[in-house]
Amino acid sequence: MPTDVPERLDCPDGVPRWMASDAADLLWSEWDGEYVLFHKPSGKTHFLNESAWVLLSDILREPRDLPATTLELANRRGVAPDEDLSAYVSSLVLRFEELGLTRRT
Amino acid sequence: MMASEAGPPRVGALSSAEWSERLAAGRVGVRMGPFDVRLHVAVPSIHAPLQALYADHPMLDGPRVYSCHADLRHTRRLGRPARRNVRFTVDGIAPHEDMPGAQALAVLEWGVNLAIAMRFHGFLMLHAAVLERRGRALLLPAAPGFGKSTLCAALAHRNWRLFSDEFGLLVPGTGSLLPVPRPISLKNQSIEVFRSFAPQAHLGPVIPNTRKGTVAHVKPPAESVAQSELAAPAAWVVFPRWVAGVPLGLEEIGRSEAFMQIATNAFNYEVLGSAAYEAVREVAAASRCFRLVYSDLQEAVEALTALADEDDFQ
């Protein structure tokens, strides 16, 4: 599995990890595998797919680095982790951070 | 004028002279759904069309706390009244620049819309036409120019009860929509399209050259105004779009997608925060959601009526 971390994710200790916002701050609605998330602190509403929901509601309930996050998502999907999935997870986690949905630990 | 046993007196029950005198003196209160609006209109040219458009609305007499005080008057400037500007104020504040006197009726209607959209955050206000059939509400959220008001006016004249052509008023925590039936604003070609569709309907004067083009207002049906206090839960959310020459298409869409479009079309979603989220979630969960593309008004009305009549609420 690729372990390259985008430059902007570098941390002084070399092990950046992310964790989702407190569960109490996230209100979810789900219909037919599509998800709507209301983020209380920002007041913003987001339209998300199932992968994003799994990451925020489960996988990132504990701090994980990108390789661990990618591996866990791959396991949930029943697929082998590859570069595409790693890049996808990286982009999601970065976007979540911009939106305040995850924080670095 | 006396109140009848059926309820408060109606605007249309006043003589035109009395209506005009009261309006010019700022002694007219009109109930518009949940809003009690005090009107002061010192622009005599629109007194008669205003009375015709609001003929079935309840008048409010006596001291009371009004939702807002709307005022329209000519600005102080020499010239023929039709060429002078008018100034709209709500509770003493002018929310926008003065506008041409010839557009006074449209300016007043826009002004009342603006006052509702900006002030009454006890409701989640969706930018949507709303109608009722079989005790359930149909929401038609759309951006301007998508044919929402035309379709709304048409349905309101084919046995649907008009709630509003502009506001979906949701009461957070109830899942219910409240009616606020007021004149329906039609623009440009839709005016003649609607005239042909419902020749019996009353339209106000045609007002050309406004910032929205040519505008005319449709009087809300009397039965809809009479039932202004009767709320209804949402059952259908339809995102309409008029496109010239296309065959009718009514496609069911996912509730999550509908949720985002409803929220995007709300006036005050972010003001209300999680209460707005919960209110929209209730609507999306309780409704079937569709995307409608149409060019023929009659076909669109028939499709939505069939949808409402075929749905089983059990």
Side-chain angles (χ1 to χ4, degrees):
Chain A
M1 185 181 71
T3 56
D4 290 346
V5 175
E7 189 175 341
R8 64 173 292 190
L9 300 185
D10 286 349
C11 282
D13 66 359
V15 189
R17 292 184 174 83
W18 286 264
M19 190 172 174
S21 288
D22 291 345
D25 287 338
L26 306 178
L27 302 178
W28 293 95
S29 297
E30 184 270 334
W31 293 285
D32 302 323
E34 295 177 330
Y35 297 80
V36 174
L37 168 64
F38 182 77
H39 181 228
K40 287 184 183 178
S42 67
K44 299 292 184 187
T45 304
H46 306 284
F47 181 37
L48 301 173
N49 63 18
E50 187 155 9
S51 293
W53 171 70
V54 169
L55 287 173
L56 289 171
S57 66
D58 191 354
I59 294 175
L60 292 176
R61 297 318 316 163
E62 60 185 71
R64 292 183 195 269
D65 60 17
L66 282 179
T69 304
T70 303
L71 181 62
E72 190 61 32
L73 184 61
N75 289 339
R76 304 292 178 93
R77 288 181 170 185
V79 299
D82 59 16
E83 284 188 18
D84 287 345
L85 186 60
S86 178
Y88 174 64
V89 168
S90 172
S91 67
L92 272 183
V93 171
L94 277 175
R95 183 67 180 136
F96 290 159
E97 188 176 22
E98 289 172 355
L99 295 170
L101 301 174
T102 57
R103 64 180 187 278
R104 294 188 190 215
T105 61
Chain B
M1 186 188 63
M2 302 290 290
S4 71
E5 288 183 5
R10 307 281 149 175
V11 167
L14 289 179
S15 71
S16 59
E18 190 177 2
W19 165 256
S20 192
E21 179 191 327
R22 284 193 183 198
L23 206 51
R27 290 189 294 112
V28 167
V30 178
R31 176 155 291 164
M32 304 178 188
F35 308 116
D36 292 347
V37 180
R38 185 84 162 178
L39 292 173
H40 182 192
V41 180
V43 182
S45 62
I46 68 166
H47 287 178
L50 204 55
Q51 186 176 24
L53 288 170
Y54 282 93
D56 300 309
H57 280 72
M59 295 264 300
L60 301 167
D61 280 327
R64 68 177 59 238
V65 176
Y66 284 92
S67 309
C68 65
H69 291 65
D71 183 300
L72 189 76
R73 63 184 66 197
H74 286 291
T75 53
R76 294 180 184 278
R77 202 179 117 194
L78 294 177
R80 288 190 297 168
R83 292 189 176 178
R84 289 157 62 190
N85 281 345
V86 290
R87 178 171 300 160
F88 174 81
T89 60
V90 57
D91 296 336
I93 297 170
H96 51 67
E97 72 277 14
D98 299 340
M99 302 183 79
Q103 302 172 15
L105 181 61
V107 173
L108 180 64
E109 285 298 302
W110 292 330
V112 173
N113 280 346
L114 186 63
I116 292 172
M118 300 299 290
R119 286 164 168 254
F120 301 110
H121 298 307
F123 304 100
L124 174 63
M125 287 180 280
L126 310 177
H127 188 204
V130 183
L131 300 110
E132 175 269 338
R133 189 174 174 91
R134 299 179 65 207
R136 308 291 171 128
L138 160 71
L139 279 94
L140 300 170
F146 277 47
K148 159 177 67 73
S149 292
T150 315
L151 185 54
C152 172
L155 289 164
H157 289 78
R158 290 292 189 277
N159 301 313
W160 287 73
R161 179 161 65 99
L162 173 69
F163 275 36
S164 173
D165 76 316
E166 189 71 12
F167 292 105
L169 289 184
L170 261 172
V171 185
T174 70
S176 281
L177 288 140
L178 282 184
V180 53
R182 294 180 46 232
I184 301 168
S185 175
L186 298 182
K187 294 183 281 295
N188 303 318
Q189 294 91 334
S190 68
I191 298 168
E192 288 312 313
V193 169
F194 177 72
R195 272 193 212 280
S196 300
F197 182 85
Q200 78 283 11
H202 173 85
L203 272 80
V206 174
I207 308 166
N209 304 317
T210 78
R211 60 185 177 174
K212 297 185 178 183
T214 299
V215 171
H217 298 88
V218 180
K219 176 181 176 290
E223 309 78 47
S224 297
V225 177
Q227 298 180 65
S228 290
E229 295 178 3
L230 200 54
W236 311 280
V237 179
V238 176
F239 300 94
R241 181 162 202 173
W242 182 87
V243 180
V246 299
L248 182 132
L250 186 62
E251 173 197 3
E252 192 151 11
I253 62 173
R255 289 183 166 93
S256 296
E257 180 185 346
F259 184 115
M260 297 306 290
Q261 290 199 50
I262 294 168
T264 302
N265 277 293
F267 290 102
N268 60 345
Y269 183 89
E270 294 197 354
V271 173
L272 295 186
S274 59
Y277 164 84
E278 294 291 355
V280 176
R281 189 183 59 75
E282 285 184 56
V283 168
S287 301
R288 296 178 67 197
C289 306
F290 297 85
R291 189 179 296 118
L292 169 69
V293 182
Y294 76 98
S295 58
D296 185 283
L297 196 53
Q298 180 67 32
E299 281 185 358
V301 167
E302 287 174 1
L304 293 179
T305 303
L307 174 70
D309 291 349
E310 289 164 7
D311 255 351
D312 180 3
F313 298 125
Q314 300 307 312

